[in-house]
Amino acid sequence: MSRLEGSQQSFWKTEAGPVHYAKLSKDLEVDTAVIGGGISGALTAYLLAKAGRSVAIVEARDFSAGSTGGTTAKLSSQHQLIYHEMLQRDGLDVARKFYDANEEGRKLIESISKEHNIDCDFTEEDAYVFTQDGSHTESLKAEAQAYDEIGIDGGMTNSIPIDFDVSSALVMRKQAQFQPVKFIHGLLKAIEELGGKIIQHTRYMDKEEHDDYLVLTTNTPYKITCKQVVLATLFPVEDPHSFYSNTMEPMSSHLTAFESDQPFGTGVYIGQDEPRRTFRGAYDGDQPILIVGGNTHRTGNKSSTIDHYEAIRQFTKAEFGLTKMLAYWSEHDMVTPDRRPFIGPIEEGNDKMFVMTGYNKWGLAVAGTAAQLICDLIEGKENSYAEFLSPQRDLPKKEEKEDQPSILEQAKQLSKGEAKRFEINEEASGMYRDHTGDIHYVNLTCTHLGCEVKWNDGDETWDCPCHGSIFDGTGKVIAGPAKDPLKQIDVS
Ligand SMILES: Cc1cc2nc3c(=O)[nH]c(=O)nc-3n(C[C@H](O)[C@H](O)[C@H](O)COP(=O)(O)OP(=O)(O)OC[C@H]3O[C@@H](n4cnc5c(N)ncnc54)[C@H](O)[C@@H]3O)c2cc1C
Ligand code: FES
């Protein structure tokens, strides 16, 4: 199969360029260690440092290497359609509080970017959910009714401010968009100025618990001693009693960046028709860019990632006449049963270990509120979202997880960049030919909790359907919660 044109990396990461921070190179003692250098970790480390605590932020890969660097980057309280569902299931107070949590988070991010002059292309935008074929007009109207009840600024509209045909649309006014990687880079500078320690390419591995402190081990010879640790690792890298594994589902989406000969115009957009499409404008210097994505599915469901990118490419050509694809990438996020994130103690009564997870593909705005909540919990301050976002709250019953179909195949000759599943001694195994021609054989059992990883042909990675770990073709960890590489196997 022909490979795709363009770079296989998020447009945001390429445009912002790398940021250079050192690995952990000596033992460290801080009040709070924040693990994970996405928006959750960076905002939390910033607020803690601002509150006068000594803090270290520790990232396994590059900062923004996770979902934050691969989003559509809408800062929006409009999470597709959600408020009607919340009103029906949880009532007005919950739906309104959810909206408030997102609004406050977005405003906090805006105020931080202004205070520190972070050049992150922040612009206020109206957010739209649309239907092109009209089949979702009634759902949009029900959501508009929920907006009225909650007091959300927005409602139904028949026209949108770009050249794109819709049958009807629902607008939420005064939302925003930004460049997430540039924002994180600016935030890291602010954390450093506040005395925080910034540590990159250092993976949290384990913890030793003592009465009133923790010692964290890493994939370096050095340790971090701290009073609290915040796991802002998308999926928590500690999971007592498998609560998070049993409660959340990872969902993947695919994004592309296209060069355009004219600016996209205003607004951020998401479709309700299947397959769902999300898009917004951006710039690379003066060059107008269109970010288009969608094709969301359960992580590791064996669908072809190349097919997802091709479907998005065809949509972009048909709707916007754009053909020059500059970049394509995939990311995932965790989905909770009530569509509210899990922010708080990792388990009942634990005052040393906190989690930030379960953002349901819409974590950017609410991350501000989540970070403030974690900061207040650590500082022993009241916070009106403590119970609302607590991982220990009552949850609706979760539907049974689908069994992952397994298809046995014998290994065949592979082209460079291709991989294949096979079985050896009844163990699921994979072979991958890298771009130098070498073949790597790995056991496909995820080193986190043992699910079978699946091949992602677009990104050339082994992806875990259970909690979203990602390994490169040779088995090395790209994204946790797994900490160890896939086991190499000897097929000779
Ligand atoms: C395709 C896509 C589009 C999206 N679009 C939007 C959008 O437009 N608006 C919106 O609000 N949300 C959007 N989201 C969701 C949003 O991107 C996420 O909710 C958010 O980025 C989560 O941020 P985070 O900081 O919690 O996690 P991440 O950004 O994933 O950060 C976690 C970090 O932890 C690090 N890590 C993991 N394990 C370890 C370890 N053991 N030691 C050290 N570090 C570790 C990882 O390397 C990673 O950098 C989208 C999601 C996807 C998948
Ligand atoms: S990420 Fe948990 S089993 Fe793979």
Side-chain angles (χ1 to χ4, degrees), residues 379-395:
E379 296 258 286
K381 291 186 186 160
E382 291 278 305
N383 183 301
S384 64
Y385 293 105
E387 284 187 17
F388 187 72
L389 298 179
S390 164
Q392 290 81 46
R393 65 181 179 262
D394 289 338
L395 294 168

Side-chain angles (χ1 to χ4, degrees), residues 432-451:
Y432 163 67
R433 187 187 291 277
D434 68 22
H435 289 265
T436 66
D438 290 342
I439 296 204
H440 305 266
Y441 297 97
V442 290
N443 185 302
L444 296 185
T445 306
C446 177
T447 53
H448 177 229
L449 292 174
C451 292

Side-chain angles (χ1 to χ4, degrees), residues 92 96 99-100 103 144-154:
L92 181 58
R96 185 173 283 148
Y99 172 67
D100 290 345
E103 288 290 292
Q145 176 66 34
Y147 282 17
D148 280 350
E149 286 180 49
I150 296 166
I152 297 175
D153 183 3

